Amino acid sequence: MNRVVIVGASAGGLATAVALRIEGYAGAITLVGDEADAPYDRPPLSKEFLSEAWEPGRLTLLGADDLETLDLELRLGTPATALSTADREVMLGDGSTVAYDALVVATGARPRVLPDRRDGVHVLRTMADALPLRERLAPGRRLVIVGAGFVGTEVAAIARARGVEVTMLESATAPLAHEIGEAAGLFLAELHRRHGVEVRTDAAVTEVTADGVRLADGTAVESDDVLLAIGSEPNTEWLTAEDLKVHNGLVCDEFCAAAPDVYGVGDVARWYNPLFGTEMRVEHRRHASEQAVAVARNLLEPDDRAPFASVPYFWSDQYDVRVQAYGHLREHDDAVIVYGDVPARRLLVAYRSGDRLTGVLAVGQTPRALRSWRALIAARCTWRAALAIA
């Protein structure tokens, strides 16, 4: 293997390149990215960057000297447009091609949008998205956030801290209901209401209007700005090879392989996690870094590959509390509040799938307090034993 091509120059793609070098790979590495900027971190865009605590330079994942040490061929500002696994070539937007011996797909995801998007209607995925939104968050302005997922709730917290009037509209019964369940979602809804956010649930937005949005029941909600935070779509359109399976992401096996010498990393990869016995696509920063390390090792040791059986972790800062979770929370059969205190802003929820503990979520807890729960999830602890311990 003399040339590895990594398509996607965000956290997952760069982490793969770093892991390859750490593991001793001395061959050529080409890093392809559709943004012209050097690789930068995205999670702070909805937190530190939007609050103006950080400037663009602080988002950079590696300094110029460290990036040079990796000895990469950088093809930034040049998106991939097609792929031929038969010829082992990636076609780029400038008309050129890049040959590979091994390919890592790390193209991430993009925000979903509503029709008739106008000026003052924002999404948040890139630095180019975040800059105009940051400039418009000022005291007395009105912001409507469509969607109460992680991006929506984090931006709501920052906007309130900057004196913005915030209305958060969610089509489900509670914020993050699909990700963390209704009980935890209702807790977060109350947290936001206590900070002055108008939270409306069961509120489906059908149209972006000239001065706000319109709901399915005909109600108009006026605003100066609208943030669309209604989920994401994996960037898979360029994966044109017939031997690749695409379904809500690039479908990969337990080794994160999608085809011979083709691997997936990060938000774009839907891989089979043997620890939970299901396919999952995880859109969190730490997961991308961990998966990148696993893929680098499997690339370099094809005869001794190891399944990527991770316990996914995510965190989200909202106001002065941290939301953290381990495991697979989606598609759970039951969620039990082990401890809950809204005034104290503390919460602990355990999640069951079948007869197993498969997840835990905490608000206002230290990372150390969750480590024992992570160990139980990794050990495939039964639900009954987990509740007895709790």
Side-chain angles (χ1 to χ4, degrees):
M1 185 173 65
N2 297 313
R3 178 176 293 278
V4 176
V5 173
I6 303 169
V7 183
S10 193
L14 182 62
T16 305
V18 171
L20 285 168
R21 293 303 191 210
I22 289 174
E23 292 292 325
Y25 174 69
I29 301 177
T30 300
L31 185 64
V32 178
D34 60 350
E35 294 182 71
D37 298 301
Y40 64 90
D41 212 9
R42 297 186 191 278
L45 290 175
S46 59
K47 297 181 280 290
E48 293 89 349
F49 184 76
L50 210 59
S51 71
E52 296 190 330
W54 289 14
E55 292 304 318
R58 193 166 176 183
L59 297 174
T60 304
L61 287 167
L62 282 180
D65 291 342
D66 292 329
L67 199 58
E68 185 175 351
T69 300
L70 290 176
D71 189 23
L72 307 178
E73 179 191 359
L74 294 175
R75 301 293 297 271
L76 302 179
T78 310
T81 57
L83 168 66
S84 171
T85 53
D87 297 329
R88 296 194 171 222
E89 285 186 339
V90 177
M91 281 62 83
L92 303 183
D94 62 3
S96 65
T97 61
V98 180
Y100 68 85
D101 295 315
L103 173 68
V104 178
V105 177
T107 41
R110 64 185 181 278
R112 292 194 182 105
V113 298
L114 292 174
D116 303 321
R117 185 175 165 190
R118 58 165 176 82
D119 291 341
V121 178
H122 309 267
V123 294
L124 185 56
R125 180 72 184 184
T126 67
M127 197 185 307
D129 297 329
L131 279 167
L133 178 59
R134 184 169 87 158
E135 293 171 357
R136 294 175 70 89
L137 296 182
R141 292 186 65 83
R142 300 167 300 169
L143 173 66
V144 163
I145 300 175
V146 183
F150 288 108
V151 171
T153 51
E154 288 176 358
V155 172
I158 294 299
R160 285 299 300 138
R162 297 189 62 179
V164 178
E165 298 177 14
V166 178
T167 300
M168 189 158 55
L169 305 172
E170 171 55 53
S171 60
T173 56
L176 291 158
H178 299 302
E179 289 87 354
I180 63 176
E182 185 170 348
L186 291 173
F187 181 97
L188 290 180
E190 184 59 26
L191 174 69
H192 281 274
R193 289 188 177 109
R194 285 171 175 255
H195 283 83
V197 177
E198 182 182 357
V199 181
R200 300 191 196 180
T201 57
D202 295 308
V205 174
T206 58
E207 181 185 4
V208 176
T209 64
D211 53 4
V213 299
R214 191 175 305 281
L215 306 184
D217 63 5
T219 303
V221 183
E222 295 184 354
S223 67
D224 300 304
D225 292 273
V226 175
L227 172 66
L228 301 178
I230 52 178
S232 66
E233 299 281 355
N235 292 319
T236 56
E237 291 74 14
W238 67 282
L239 298 173
T240 53
E242 293 182 357
D243 58 341
L244 296 181
K245 182 179 179 181
V246 173
H247 175 66
N248 186 27
L250 174 64
V251 178
C252 303
D253 63 15
E254 67 269 31
F255 305 106
C256 305
D261 299 317
V262 178
Y263 288 78
V265 164
D267 298 5
V268 73
R270 182 179 180 85
W271 101 107
Y272 179 81
N273 188 333
L275 180 62
F276 298 94
T278 188
E279 289 182 350
M280 55 179 68
R281 186 172 70 85
V282 179
E283 296 185 70
H284 296 294
R285 170 71 168 81
R286 178 165 164 177
H287 164 80
S289 298
E290 292 177 346
Q291 193 170 36
V293 172
V295 164
R297 289 174 178 169
N298 285 340
L299 271 176
L300 298 177
E301 300 290 342
D303 296 327
D304 191 26
R305 296 188 303 172
F308 182 55
S310 70
V311 179
Y313 169 80
F314 71 76
W315 59 269
S316 173
D317 287 333
Q318 301 187 22
Y319 306 106
D320 56 350
V321 299
R322 174 159 290 190
V323 182
Q324 303 175 84
Y326 280 108
H328 184 48
L329 277 57
R330 285 180 175 267
E331 303 165 357
H332 58 266
D333 297 319
D334 195 11
V336 171
I337 297 179
V338 178
Y339 178 84
D341 187 337
V342 173
R345 295 173 299 180
R346 296 186 66 201
L347 176 73
L348 185 66
V349 182
Y351 297 81
R352 175 181 67 84
S353 294
D355 64 349
R356 283 181 53 193
L357 170 72
T358 52
V360 62
L361 177 139
V363 179
Q365 305 280 349
T366 64
R368 184 177 181 181
L370 286 182
R371 288 175 190 160
S372 59
W373 285 93
R374 183 197 180 283
L376 293 175
I377 296 168
R380 303 174 186 265
C381 182
T382 67
W383 180 246
R384 179 175 295 183
L387 287 187
I389 294 169

